[in-house]
Amino acid sequence: MSPNVPLDTVSVIGLGYIGLPTAAVLAQAGKRVIGVDVKQENVDAINAGQVPFVEEGLETVVAGCVAKGKLSAQTETPKADAYIVSVPTPFKGDHDADLSYIEAAARGIAPQLTGGELIVLESTAPPGATEHMADVILELRPELTSEPHRVNSLYFSHAPERVLPGRIMIEMVDNDRIIGGLTREAAQLNRDLYASFCRGELLLTDARTAEMAKLTENAFRDVNIAFANELSIIAERQGIDVWELIELANHHPRVNILQPGPGVGGHCIAVDPWFIVSADREHSKLIATARTVNDSKPELVLEKVLAKADKLKSPVVAALGIAFKANIDDLRESPSKDIAVALTDRLEQGTVLVVEPNIDVLPREFEGMGNVELADLDDAVERADIVLLMVDHDPFKDFDREKLREKFVIDTKGLWR
Ligand code: SAJ
């Protein structure tokens, strides 16, 4: 049976790509939600009903909930019945997870607790991270306990997010959720809270299994994309069109190969498999190799562009897309952004015209580089000698191919074949 504690007020710590949509759907479901973020400008934007990044359908919900007084944001952690920690977990130089943001969130929550609160870790993290978060809090508040059904009980749980950027508002509500408690009671309480907005199945387990399940999902996808990327390298050397090859092979009833591209980006698939590797290096050879294969793709693309550019006098390269995937503005861990930056840096003469319909200014990585511009699609293609397609954004899909006839095209996504 779930512990009998209130779940009316929820504080979401970290209002990024996952935290803000989570806060929004909880507020929409009737909870009083107080979001917390270290960035004052994001706090101000949210309190004005605005969203600091692009995500289909999010702004309407945020604006509505703020107007109704159900959602607000601040920089200090408040008192609440439940906390959801949704902060970044980057990796350090050796690919070990950096838990410092989770620790900072835990230190912010600790002084506010009175007993009876649910504390959910949503951030993707290696096995043992939820326990670590609980330890940080209980060390600061030794009079509280993680044992259930006491007046001074705290309930710690892990509910990894699984939503796909671009479809977050749909998947947040419809996807099944894995919920892993440090105790059964914590998992039950977490389920009760998430049942308020989630129509998917809520699957209860322990915290370590939930942590590993999330990493497993992303490692599965990474390994499968690595297979496609490796095929693309082999196929090119054999003079075979990899997209036709994959399309044909996928007609087999039990074959379903993913798509090759310029590399794997984003803060999830390019990062999470390393948490498995760092938990057990000796036994995660396949997972580590997949990461290496995917990480090798940007350099191969770059070499191809430079090989052509070197033959031209003052080449103009149109670099189409620097987001980490189609129809989003997220540049985190983006292989196409890395390629565009390295190209600008390594091109001895000539110009790079970056086309990214989802941003207004070039990111800071391009600062101080004179030979790069953010351009619009038609202008860039018209001026370019080489057209490098790196992201399958919709406007690129619909582009009039006639205009590419005189150009040297490198299509890393197979969009224009
Ligand atoms: N990619 C390919 N080929 C493909 C599919 C993807 O090269 O066939 C590339 C994309 O271009 C992109 C990267 O992989 O650079 C990742 O894109 P994605 O759409 O596969 O996934 P993400 O990173 O946006 O979201 C993933 C999802 N995980 C799974 O599908 C198992 C999402 O459900 C998770 O919630 C999210 O990671 C996360 O936050 O962990």
Side-chain angles (χ1 to χ4, degrees):
M1 216 184 59
S2 309
N4 185 19
V5 294
L7 292 170
D8 303 323
T9 315
V10 185
S11 177
V12 179
I13 319 289
L15 296 173
Y17 289 88
I18 301 304
L20 184 54
T22 306
V25 294
L26 275 162
Q28 201 178 25
K31 302 287 176 195
R32 170 74 183 98
V33 183
I34 305 153
V36 177
D37 202 281
V38 287
K39 283 192 198 141
Q40 185 67 51
E41 69 264 30
N42 286 5
V43 164
D44 294 341
I46 293 160
N47 285 330
Q50 291 153 6
V51 174
F53 51 87
V54 174
E55 183 60 47
E56 176 83 27
L58 176 60
E59 191 149 274
T60 324
V61 180
V62 168
C65 293
V66 169
K68 279 194 202 130
K70 284 286 182 192
L71 174 65
S72 61
Q74 56 191 53
T75 53
E76 299 298 320
T77 306
K79 283 210 179 316
D81 300 325
Y83 294 87
I84 297 176
V85 175
S86 187
V87 294
T89 36
F91 54 62
K92 298 184 264 190
D94 48 6
H95 295 134
D96 285 339
D98 173 1
L99 300 183
S100 60
Y101 297 96
I102 295 176
E103 289 162 359
R107 285 195 298 271
I109 294 168
Q112 305 299 337
L113 300 169
T114 54
E117 290 92 348
L118 166 70
I119 301 141
V120 180
L121 178 64
E122 275 236 12
S123 313
T124 305
T130 309
E131 222 166 319
H132 178 66
M133 179 181 77
D135 288 345
V136 172
I137 290 178
L138 291 170
E139 254 168 52
L140 291 166
R141 300 295 306 276
E143 77 282 17
L144 300 174
T145 175
S146 58
E147 280 174 41
H149 298 305
R150 306 240 299 254
V151 280
N152 58 348
S153 297
L154 297 175
Y155 298 91
F156 295 100
S157 179
H158 182 51
E161 60 79 15
R162 308 160 106 184
V163 288
L164 195 71
R167 285 177 45 84
I168 291 182
M169 296 309 279
I170 299 164
E171 294 204 359
M172 184 79 68
V173 174
D174 287 344
N175 286 6
D176 296 344
R177 294 296 291 249
I178 298 172
I179 294 182
L182 275 199
T183 58
R184 187 79 188 161
E185 289 77 5
Q188 287 165 336
L189 206 54
N190 189 164
R191 177 195 56 204
D192 294 349
L193 178 64
Y194 280 36
S196 67
F197 68 87
C198 182
R199 285 199 294 250
E201 231 182 297
L202 301 168
L203 308 153
L204 303 203
T205 181
D206 60 85
R208 281 183 94 83
T209 308
E211 287 156 349
M212 190 65 182
K214 164 69 194 215
L215 303 179
T216 300
E217 291 163 11
N218 281 351
F220 168 85
R221 198 143 162 96
D222 196 47
V223 169
N224 282 281
I225 299 170
F227 181 69
N229 275 334
E230 187 162 288
L231 280 179
S232 77
I233 299 165
I234 299 167
E236 181 159 356
R237 293 169 58 86
Q238 299 293 327
I240 293 167
D241 177 330
V242 72
W243 286 281
E244 185 189 355
L245 173 72
I246 290 174
E247 208 174 289
L248 293 172
N250 281 349
H251 275 270
H252 185 288
R254 284 174 297 283
V255 174
N256 187 10
I257 305 167
L258 294 178
Q259 297 299 305
V264 169
H267 187 67
C268 310
I269 295 187
V271 176
D272 300 354
W274 287 122
F275 295 167
I276 301 182
V277 176
S278 85
D280 188 349
R281 255 168 230 282
E282 198 191 334
H283 298 104
S284 41
K285 294 194 182 66
L286 177 64
I287 296 169
T289 302
R291 275 285 67 243
T292 313
V293 169
N294 285 333
D295 278 353
S296 73
K297 270 304 292 266
E299 181 60 28
L300 294 174
V301 173
L302 191 59
E303 281 167 14
K304 207 167 159 183
V305 183
L306 289 171
K308 179 68 188 172
D310 283 349
K311 296 193 186 113
L312 303 172
K313 220 164 165 214
S314 186
V316 176
V317 185
L320 271 45
I322 58 166
F324 87 81
K325 65 174 191 174
N327 304 322
I328 57 169
D329 67 343
D330 192 342
L331 308 182
R332 292 179 301 171
E333 317 283 336
S334 170
S336 50
K337 180 191 68 186
D338 293 348
I339 292 168
V341 172
L343 181 63
T344 310
D345 186 43
R346 279 159 64 174
L347 205 61
E348 280 173 8
Q349 288 176 320
T351 308
V352 176
L353 303 174
V354 172
V355 181
E356 180 43 76
N358 300 307
I359 61 169
D360 300 322
V361 275
L362 283 175
R364 57 179 166 73
E365 288 88 339
F366 290 97
E367 260 167 38
M369 294 179 160
N371 53 337
V372 62
E373 286 170 38
L374 186 63
D376 83 54
L377 180 59
D378 284 310
D379 176 43
V381 173
E382 198 183 319
R383 287 161 65 194
D385 305 297
I386 302 171
V387 177
L388 169 63
L389 180 104
M390 296 191 283
V391 184
D392 43 349
H393 287 316
D394 287 344
F396 303 162
K397 265 187 206 159
D398 304 335
F399 190 70
D400 178 5
R401 319 270 169 91
E402 268 302 296
K403 295 183 180 158
L404 296 167
R405 260 202 317 164
E406 308 285 301
K407 313 291 174 183
F408 184 80
V409 176
I410 300 173
D411 176 1
T412 68
K413 297 295 285 185
L415 197 69
W416 291 333
R417 42 182 293 270

